[in-house]
Amino acid sequence: MIIKPMVRSSICINAHPAGCAKDTDDQIAYVKAQKAKRGTKTSKEGGKGPKMVLVLGCSTGYGLASRISAAFEYGADTIGVSFEKQPTETKGGTPGWYNNMAFDRAAKKDGLISVTMNADAYADETRAHIIEEAKKLGRKFDLIIYSLASPVRTDPDTKVLYKSVIKPQGKTYSGKCIDIMTQTLKESSAEPATDEEIASTVKVMGGEDWRRWIKQLTEAGVLAEGCRTVAYSYIGPEQTHQIYRDGTIGMAKKDLEQAARDLDGQMKAFVGGAAYVSVNKGLVTRSSAVIPVISLYLSILFKVMKEKGTHEGCIEQMERLFAERLYTGADNAAGTVPTDSGHRIRIDDLEMDPEVQKICTQRMESVTQENLTSYCDLEGYKHDFLATNGFDVEGVDYEKDVQRMDVID
């Protein structure tokens, strides 16, 4: 069959196996090139960077990029967890399923341990399996990446299912957004969240589950001395705050940031480690594509940052996070991590550069359908949107017949 992207309500609902694999391989190639450029040493080469890494939410976006950076720049063995739809011979799976297949294939080729678990990362049963796997390998984690994004979470104690929503607080949000497939500017609005919806979103996307992971891993004795854990957040500019930072997702992220501060003390006490939230750059991910106003802001941001030569994708961000924030000591050992007043790593520094934001603000205020292509990187945004599902990836023949949906070759 010939596979073309199927887009419904700003969400791509299918994936291309070969395209997902090629995009993953391209990220691996980038990291290997950066390793050579920076002179990064793997543990086998005498490096003191991460050796055993757990990535929760390993299949796409920042989670996948983190796992790739740890494995292919620092030579770390990894265990990854994500919840994906498995393909059959005739029916496609989720992009993350194919990304994980490509990662495991590359890791095996390079002689790295790669255990990928398709399971609900919010479940205690999954935590038990991870602990069992670590003990079976005789290894302890020296880095734990928490990069989960989900619409739902079942509380392990109460068995109550909570759902996250993307809504403002207090009043209705209205603003411009882009239908990226038709390249048209339109108005979008979202009704304010109820107190129940806010609380539910915090239960799903906040710090509660991260705390539970660290507690159970600590009690099981599978954290190495000096272990660090990092979760991911986003702040963005004032124009997006009503729907994001001050909305339901923002409330969850603030809870996540508080968890980092609390966990930091616990990690120091138990294993001499640390906990951080890294505030990352706004990028097109499977989650950000459905948030109102974000599509317009990001397409403007991409244009400005590309003009300045500072644009980064997921893999560039995570490689820089590892090399320039987390592992800056001698022989790539864990160095002193710079944080802001809220104990957050700011890897969004290039996005939040005052000159970049000044131009973005001007364009956000004056954008119209007539000047849309001048102000926005529509093609770049569309490319990133499609590439997250394995489409529009350079080097892939999309006219080639795909005979099986359960393989990536």
Side-chain angles (χ1 to χ4, degrees):
M1 68 191 84
I2 305 299
I3 306 172
K4 300 294 182 181
M6 298 168 59
V7 180
R8 304 283 187 275
S9 302
S10 297
I11 298 175
C12 189
I13 60 174
N14 66 335
H16 196 289
C20 290
K22 179 63 165 57
D23 187 59
T24 301
D25 289 342
D26 287 347
Q27 292 184 61
I28 292 170
Y30 172 81
V31 160
K32 288 184 173 181
Q34 287 297 102
K35 177 187 184 304
K37 181 179 177 181
R38 294 184 188 272
T40 306
K41 295 180 181 179
T42 65
S43 57
K44 292 179 180 178
E45 297 165 338
K48 299 176 181 177
K51 297 176 177 60
M52 188 67 191
V53 179
L54 173 62
V55 183
L56 304 169
C58 67
S59 60
T60 60
Y62 283 126
L64 175 63
S66 300
R67 194 180 188 191
I68 288 171
S69 295
F72 296 101
E73 183 160 358
Y74 296 86
D77 296 324
T78 63
I79 296 180
V81 183
S82 64
F83 204 14
E84 306 298 333
K85 176 187 173 185
Q86 182 175 352
T88 66
E89 185 174 338
T90 57
K91 292 185 178 180
T94 48
W97 182 274
Y98 301 120
N99 295 341
N100 286 340
M101 287 181 70
F103 178 92
D104 288 339
R105 179 177 65 181
K108 181 179 180 181
K109 182 179 178 182
D110 282 16
L112 299 171
I113 293 174
S114 171
V115 178
T116 302
M117 184 177 294
N118 190 44
D120 179 6
Y122 295 127
D124 282 346
E125 293 82 1
T126 301
R127 280 180 266 272
H129 288 156
I130 292 297
I131 290 166
E132 180 184 357
E133 190 66 36
K135 289 182 175 180
K136 186 168 67 177
L137 292 170
R139 305 290 294 278
K140 293 186 177 184
F141 299 112
D142 50 19
L143 177 65
I144 299 164
I145 298 295
Y146 189 87
S147 184
L148 296 179
S150 171
V152 296
R153 171 180 173 245
T154 299
D155 187 303
D157 293 324
T158 65
K159 307 306 178 186
V160 174
L161 178 69
Y162 292 93
K163 297 181 179 180
S164 63
V165 297
I166 302 170
K167 290 186 176 183
Q169 290 192 86
K171 60 181 181 180
T172 300
Y173 165 79
S174 296
K176 297 174 182 175
C177 66
I178 296 176
D179 183 329
I180 204 65
M181 299 306 291
T182 61
Q183 299 191 354
T184 54
L185 196 63
K186 60 183 183 180
E187 290 293 322
S188 177
S189 64
E191 293 300 312
T194 64
D195 290 343
E196 182 181 354
E197 287 175 323
I198 295 169
S200 186
T201 302
V202 172
K203 287 285 286 187
V204 178
M205 298 291 290
E208 185 175 278
D209 181 70
W210 188 23
R211 293 174 189 268
R212 197 176 185 99
W213 267 103
I214 298 304
K215 180 178 185 293
Q216 294 188 23
L217 293 172
T218 301
E219 291 173 348
V222 293
L223 300 186
E225 187 67 23
C227 176
R228 290 174 167 180
T229 182
V230 184
Y232 297 139
S233 187
Y234 180 67
I235 293 178
E238 186 67 33
Q239 300 99 311
T240 66
H241 282 190
Q242 187 182 347
I243 192 68
Y244 193 91
R245 187 65 182 178
D246 296 333
T248 53
I249 296 295
M251 293 301 100
K253 292 299 185 182
K254 289 171 186 175
D255 186 75
L256 187 75
E257 291 164 18
Q258 182 58 52
R261 292 187 284 270
D262 295 341
L263 287 171
D264 189 60
Q266 295 173 32
M267 295 288 283
K268 281 183 171 66
F270 289 118
V271 293
Y276 303 97
V277 157
S278 174
V279 180
N280 302 336
K281 172 180 178 284
L283 292 170
V284 181
T285 64
R286 296 191 77 206
S287 0
S288 67
V290 300
I291 305 175
V293 83
I294 295 295
S295 58
L296 175 61
Y297 166 69
L298 289 181
S299 61
I300 289 175
L301 175 70
F302 290 3
K303 182 100 169 180
V304 174
M305 293 189 75
K306 286 178 181 179
E307 290 169 353
K308 290 185 170 294
T310 58
H311 179 69
E312 294 174 317
C314 281
I315 195 62
E316 290 86 0
Q317 277 268 287
M318 293 300 96
E319 193 279 333
R320 190 160 67 91
L321 172 66
F322 276 61
E324 298 181 10
R325 299 292 190 275
L326 297 175
Y327 298 101
T328 57
D331 294 326
N332 314 117
T336 300
V337 178
T339 58
D340 66 9
S341 59
H343 187 64
R344 298 172 299 208
I345 300 171
R346 300 304 295 265
I347 204 72
D348 64 340
D349 50 339
L350 301 180
E351 172 185 357
M352 300 311 293
D353 174 77
E355 182 60 27
V356 168
Q357 285 303 313
K358 179 182 177 181
I359 299 171
C360 286
T361 299
Q362 292 171 344
R363 294 184 181 182
M364 287 282 286
E365 291 173 349
S366 56
V367 67
T368 65
Q369 184 64 50
E370 287 68 35
N371 61 27
L372 196 61
T373 55
S374 299
Y375 283 3
C376 303
D377 180 22
L378 298 177
E379 291 305 318
Y381 184 98
K382 183 178 179 181
H383 163 76
D384 289 357
F385 171 77
L386 292 172
T388 59
N389 284 60
F391 297 102
D392 201 36
V393 177
E394 187 176 354
V396 177
D397 181 2
Y398 291 100
E399 300 304 320
K400 182 179 178 180
D401 182 45
V402 177
Q403 297 185 6
R404 294 182 61 120
M405 293 299 294
D406 57 349
V407 295
I408 54 177
D409 295 321

